[in-house]
Amino acid sequence: MFRTILIFFLLPAALQAQPSDFIILKKKDRTIQTFYAGTNIEFVSTGGAYRNALITQIKNDSIFLQEFLVRRIPSTLGFIIYDTAGSFRYAYNYKEIKSFGRENKHFNVSGSGAALLGGGTVLALASGVVYLADRQKFSPGLLVASVGLAGLGYLMMKSGSKAIVVGRNNYNLQYMNMSAR
């Protein structure tokens, strides 16, 4: 009995785990995100391919991915069932990552915000001209609403979802090789 307990306590000390390579996304000298085997990654490659996949391995400057094809299947009871129809495996060099995330191609929040900012500014200027020309027809409610629209447009323009482009605005990727060579 004593031997088995001794083996269970000394066996983990004799085993060694293989260190895993990982990739760091940095802005200047600050770490934004760390990618390693088992994490999910969403990026656009330099070839234009969008990938949202699981990292299975990082080795020799390459990222090995597994992307799952998930289908929505309506049931006879009226709810949706998600089914994994298959999976695809990809390998990319970490230098082939162009940007992280994906810009929304269906609705441009930044463009709509710019339109609201421009429209609100024009309405505020027109309201100022009306105030100078004929104070009887001036509407302070219109001025407040137009300034509010311009402010909302400014906030929408700044909060628009933009992808993190590697190499721009001091974003860079750093490959960390942890294997003993």
Side-chain angles (χ1 to χ4, degrees):
M1 180 72 178
F2 179 72
R3 286 184 187 175
T4 14
I5 293 175
L6 187 64
I7 288 174
F8 281 124
F9 280 116
L10 294 180
L11 186 64
L15 297 177
Q16 292 181 358
Q18 178 182 353
S20 176
D21 298 348
F22 59 95
I23 294 175
I24 303 172
L25 173 64
K26 288 188 171 186
K27 182 173 185 177
K28 296 181 184 175
D29 290 331
R30 199 178 89 214
T31 299
I32 303 296
Q33 194 168 3
T34 305
F35 300 101
Y36 50 89
T39 60
N40 202 29
I41 187 168
E42 180 181 10
F43 68 92
V44 176
S45 71
T46 53
Y50 167 75
R51 299 285 177 239
N52 185 0
L54 177 72
I55 299 174
T56 56
Q57 185 180 17
I58 299 175
K59 184 177 177 183
N60 298 334
D61 295 349
S62 295
I63 303 172
F64 298 93
L65 306 171
Q66 184 175 15
E67 187 174 31
F68 296 99
L69 177 62
V70 179
R71 303 231 174 160
R72 295 176 60 187
I73 301 170
S75 70
T76 56
L77 299 175
F79 56 89
I80 302 293
I81 299 172
Y82 291 97
D83 184 28
T84 304
S87 67
F88 304 99
R89 295 192 178 266
Y90 302 102
Y92 286 96
N93 190 316
Y94 82 99
K95 294 179 182 177
E96 291 182 66
I97 297 175
K98 178 182 172 186
S99 64
F100 287 95
R102 174 169 71 169
E103 288 193 30
N104 193 354
K105 295 184 179 182
H106 301 291
F107 182 73
N108 190 353
V109 176
S110 296
S112 298
L116 276 177
L117 176 66
T121 305
V122 167
L123 275 175
L125 289 174
S127 184
V129 169
V130 168
Y131 177 76
L132 292 175
D134 188 11
R135 292 189 179 163
Q136 296 288 339
K137 294 184 180 179
F138 174 71
S139 172
L142 179 63
L143 178 63
V144 170
S146 62
V147 170
L149 281 177
L152 179 67
Y154 177 76
L155 291 176
M156 284 177 63
M157 198 169 64
K158 290 298 179 185
S159 71
S161 60
K162 294 180 181 168
I164 296 174
V165 180
V166 177
R168 192 180 299 167
N169 296 333
N170 296 320
Y171 285 106
N172 59 0
L173 283 176
Q174 185 176 4
Y175 174 75
M176 300 300 290
N177 187 0
M178 302 303 287
S179 61
R181 290 183 185 189

